[in-house]
Amino acid sequence: MTSHTLPIRSLGSRGPAVTRIGLGLAALGRPAYHNLGHGQDLAGRQDRDALEAHCHAVLDGAWEAGIRVVDVARSYGDAEAFVRRWIDARGLPDDAIRVGSKWGYTYVGDWSLDAEIHERKDHGLSTFTRQAAETRATLGDALDVYCIHSVTPDGGVLDDLGVLDAMSAFCRAHGVRMGLTVTGPEQARTLQRVV
């Protein structure tokens, strides 16, 4: 596979080299997603095999454009598995592309386009323990960054030392960077609290 070159920077002061732009697979890992036009974009191609082929084609295009960062999450359906199989099918080493994943939402849509609920948020220890094991089993050494998904200032996870200690231990044990993503109208407040 050939590719273009994009500017590279360090992830943090001592982190791995990454491109400044990455590819998020939220809408490519499950058949129904809340972004506009998703249903029309995938019309007739929502079964797992078709969606994985589409995801791999997008990953190929991103690779060709020089993108070396991919964002997935447990709640993005089969996105972790899709990117793992793409890495393997292309014969890439695990460190050829930086993969970040997130825990805290569980995909419950069961591959149905008209499911009443597609994902559930839970930042409890049991969810972390289950999802961390699932992510590790799926991505293996391709996982570079593991984040708490969509933290809000009053959500409680920032005060849960059991969760934070377990996450820290998991990341240390597997050589993975620890992070979080923020959501909602008070993102600045969340970041100030974290800092």
Side-chain angles (χ1 to χ4, degrees), residues 135-156:
T135 293
R136 181 70 184 163
T138 303
L139 290 172
D141 291 334
L143 180 66
D144 290 292
V145 179
Y146 202 46
C147 296
I148 306 170
H149 201 166
S150 297
V151 176
T152 58
D154 302 320

Side-chain angles (χ1 to χ4, degrees), residues 3 9 12 31 49 53 67 90 93 96 151 176:
S3 66
R9 63 174 300 183
D49 290 341
I67 293 172
R90 301 315 181 260
V151 176
V176 172

Side-chain angles (χ1 to χ4, degrees), residues 27 31-46 113:
Y33 203 72
H34 52 74
N35 54 327
L36 296 174
H38 188 260
Q40 292 83 11
D41 289 344
L42 296 177
R45 297 175 300 164
Q46 288 118 337
L113 294 173

Side-chain angles (χ1 to χ4, degrees), residues 23-89:
L23 174 65
L25 299 183
L28 296 171
R30 66 189 215 199
Y33 203 72
H34 52 74
N35 54 327
L36 296 174
H38 188 260
Q40 292 83 11
D41 289 344
L42 296 177
R45 297 175 300 164
Q46 288 118 337
D47 66 88
R48 276 188 169 87
D49 290 341
L51 198 52
E52 182 167 4
H54 182 64
C55 182
H56 284 199
V58 172
L59 284 163
D60 286 340
W63 179 269
E64 291 298 318
I67 293 172
R68 298 295 182 267
V69 176
V70 176
D71 169 68
V72 293
R74 293 303 307 154
S75 60
Y76 297 173
D78 287 352
E80 287 180 343
F82 290 174
V83 76
R84 174 77 260 177
R85 289 194 289 267
W86 177 81
I87 290 168
D88 293 343

